[in-house]
Amino acid sequence: MDGLRLRVVNYGVTGYVNWQASAWFADELAAGVGRTWRCSSTAANDAALAVEREAYGLLDADGTYSLSMSDEQTDELAAYAKAQGYRSTGDLDLAARLAALQYRRGVDRADRAAAEAGVPVVRFWQPTLATIPPDRPLVADALEEWDISRSRQRALDALQHDIAERSGVELVDITDLFDDVDRPVFFDQTHCNEFGADRQAAAILDRIAPLLGGSS
């Protein structure tokens, strides 16, 4: 990229939802750890957490929660829900509302810290099997390969879009990034292989280069 010298560091953590990443980011800035720019992708983990919260009765709209990462954790949540007499109804509207509220709080916390430190933040709506339109050949091939029903894919797509819309967070949409691709891109429902990751990185850099003083 002409005119730019960048040092890119990946601080992603397995299973983190936006709230955890935003809190970590704010704490790093408060501790004086220097950053010049932050790019963030919308996380499928937030949609998974939305479903989990509704399933186990974690309905405190002002509470913040993280995604379970083990069978032991989900067993504990199931036991808690049972002890409370809670039974899931599969209400995805409620799940989306809870997730959007927590997502927005995380974004606001990160943005306040970034503004104080003079660190610009850009957030991207990234392509996953649940955000790419289901009529794209890439999605159809992956669903068939992993035996995922179209109805489940459509439900996840609707949930993630609902969360994003309700949060009111401004996102740069790059979900059309693989519309012309006829080769494997994902190694699971969310994460890209090296080819897909390189293409996403190039798309992100192309969009932020003018803001950094470079040319695409």
Side-chain angles (χ1 to χ4, degrees):
M1 187 68 67
D2 293 341
L4 290 178
R5 296 181 63 188
L6 300 177
R7 178 174 179 264
V8 180
V9 181
N10 179 5
Y11 287 100
V13 177
T14 300
Y16 260 27
V17 295
N18 174 69
W19 171 262
Q20 292 168 290
S22 296
W24 172 86
F25 175 64
D27 289 344
E28 288 282 280
L29 291 179
V33 178
R35 300 283 182 269
T36 58
W37 194 270
R38 183 191 186 215
C39 293
S40 174
S41 298
T42 56
N45 291 342
D46 287 272
L49 177 60
V51 174
E52 188 171 275
R53 286 184 64 175
E54 193 284 325
Y56 299 122
L58 306 175
L59 308 182
D60 179 5
D62 294 324
T64 54
Y65 301 88
S66 56
L67 187 65
S68 294
M69 295 300 294
S70 68
D71 291 341
E72 289 77 13
Q73 288 176 306
T74 53
D75 287 346
E76 289 177 4
L77 291 176
Y80 169 82
K82 183 177 180 180
Q84 301 298 313
Y86 177 78
R87 296 185 64 180
S88 170
T89 63
D91 186 347
L92 293 184
D93 183 74
L94 172 61
R97 180 173 64 83
L98 293 170
L101 288 170
Q102 178 170 311
Y103 187 86
R104 182 78 223 194
R105 287 197 302 273
V107 165
D108 289 344
R109 179 175 182 180
D111 283 352
R112 287 193 300 270
E116 291 177 2
V119 175
V121 178
V122 178
R123 295 180 175 85
F124 291 86
W125 182 243
Q126 69 188 81
T128 71
L129 285 185
T131 59
I132 298 176
D135 60 344
R136 300 296 189 269
L138 174 68
V139 175
D141 292 345
L143 295 180
E144 181 177 357
E145 179 181 355
W146 295 325
D147 194 26
I148 301 171
S149 70
R150 286 184 175 272
S151 61
R152 182 171 183 271
Q153 193 272 347
R154 284 193 295 268
L156 288 172
D157 173 59
L159 176 60
Q160 291 201 42
H161 279 84
D162 196 10
I163 293 170
E165 183 176 349
R166 287 172 185 248
S167 74
V169 175
E170 183 178 351
L171 303 169
V172 178
D173 190 340
I174 58 171
T175 56
D176 62 351
L177 188 58
F178 303 126
D179 282 0
D180 62 342
V181 172
D182 59 359
R183 57 181 288 183
V185 169
F186 298 100
F187 64 81
D188 63 18
Q189 296 179 49
T190 302
H191 301 95
C192 289
N193 57 24
E194 288 299 316
F195 167 79
D198 285 346
R199 191 149 181 168
Q200 284 199 65
I204 290 171
L205 182 55
D206 183 63
R207 284 160 175 80
I208 68 172
L211 303 175
L212 295 171
S215 58
S216 58

